């Protein structure tokens, strides 16, 4: 009886170990191996690889990997976007972070609007860097001079209406 993990599970566990130790190079190599072998590299493997890049401060690698995954049609989770956005924000590259946040909104992975309450930005559950980016995006690209009523912004601890890019 074999006690080996299936290929996807084995790769995922190895990538998670890389993320835990900020070994972004090995994580990227394992993810590429999965893609080359035709294995499903969406969601968890991609997210763990982005976590490794963010942990190592490799914001450029995180941003380019996320853009490549999006272009290739891989499923990018809220957590995947969150790791890349945080890496960019932590490195002081807020414009890149905002562009990635816009991509997450376009992809439907993240949303700062509370669907149950009009004109309410709900940042509960967002990592601080993602919340900053979401607010920047909303103020720069959505609200502008169009707001004709009071805007409510909900932040801090409390019950979230969604995952908002929380870690897996």
């Amino acid at each position: 009886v074999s006690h080996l993990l299936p290929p996807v599970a084995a790769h995922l566990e190895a990538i998670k170990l890389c993320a835990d130790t900020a070994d972004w190079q090995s994580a990227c190599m394992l993810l590429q191996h999965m893609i080359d072998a035709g294995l499903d590299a969406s969601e968890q493997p991609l997210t763990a690889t982005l976590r490794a890049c963010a942990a190592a401060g490799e914001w450029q690698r995180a941003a380019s990997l996320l853009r490549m995954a999006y272009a290739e049609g891989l499923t990018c989770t809220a957590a995947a976007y969150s790791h890349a956005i945080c890496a960019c924000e932590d490195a002081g590259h807020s414009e890149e972070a905002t562009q990635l946040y816009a991509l997450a909104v376009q992809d439907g992975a993240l949303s700062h609007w509370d669907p149950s309450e009009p004109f309410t930005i709900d940042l509960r559950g967002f990592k601080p860097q993602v919340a900053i980016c979401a607010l920047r995006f909303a103020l720069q690209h959505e609200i502008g001079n169009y707001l004709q009523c009071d805007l409510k912004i909900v932040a801090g601890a409390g019950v979230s209406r969604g995952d908002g890019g929380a870690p897996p």
Side-chain angles (χ1 to χ4, degrees):
V1 177
S2 174
H3 295 290
L4 297 176
L5 290 173
V8 172
H11 279 80
L12 176 59
E13 289 306 311
I15 293 171
K16 285 181 178 179
L17 287 172
C18 294
D20 291 344
T21 60
D23 184 358
W24 68 274
Q25 292 169 317
S26 295
C28 288
M29 182 186 68
L30 287 163
L31 184 71
Q32 187 60 53
H33 184 265
M34 288 182 75
I35 293 168
D36 292 345
L39 300 173
D40 183 13
S42 288
E43 297 186 22
Q44 290 185 356
L46 175 63
T47 300
T49 303
L50 287 165
R51 184 165 60 94
C53 292
E58 290 291 327
W59 68 272
Q60 290 174 309
R61 175 65 65 173
S64 65
L65 177 59
L66 186 62
R67 289 181 190 284
M68 180 277 306
Y70 178 82
E72 294 291 322
L74 296 177
T75 301
C76 301
T77 64
Y81 281 106
S82 183
H83 290 307
I85 290 166
C86 288
C88 293
E89 282 287 340
D90 288 346
H93 295 278
S94 58
E95 185 59 36
E96 181 70 21
T98 303
Q99 290 173 10
L100 293 177
Y101 185 82
L103 190 62
V105 169
Q106 179 182 330
D107 196 18
L110 292 173
S111 177
H112 46 274
W113 292 110
D114 184 340
S116 65
E117 195 169 340
F119 301 105
T120 300
I121 294 176
D122 186 352
L123 303 173
R124 291 175 293 182
F126 279 48
K127 291 181 178 183
Q129 302 94 320
V130 179
I132 290 166
C133 202
L135 191 54
R136 182 186 312 116
F137 175 82
L139 292 173
Q140 289 177 348
H141 300 284
E142 295 177 334
I143 296 173
N145 295 323
Y146 304 109
L147 196 60
Q148 296 180 5
C149 64
D150 290 337
L151 172 69
K152 292 178 239 166
I153 300 173
V154 181
V159 178
S160 172
R161 53 145 177 91
D163 69 5

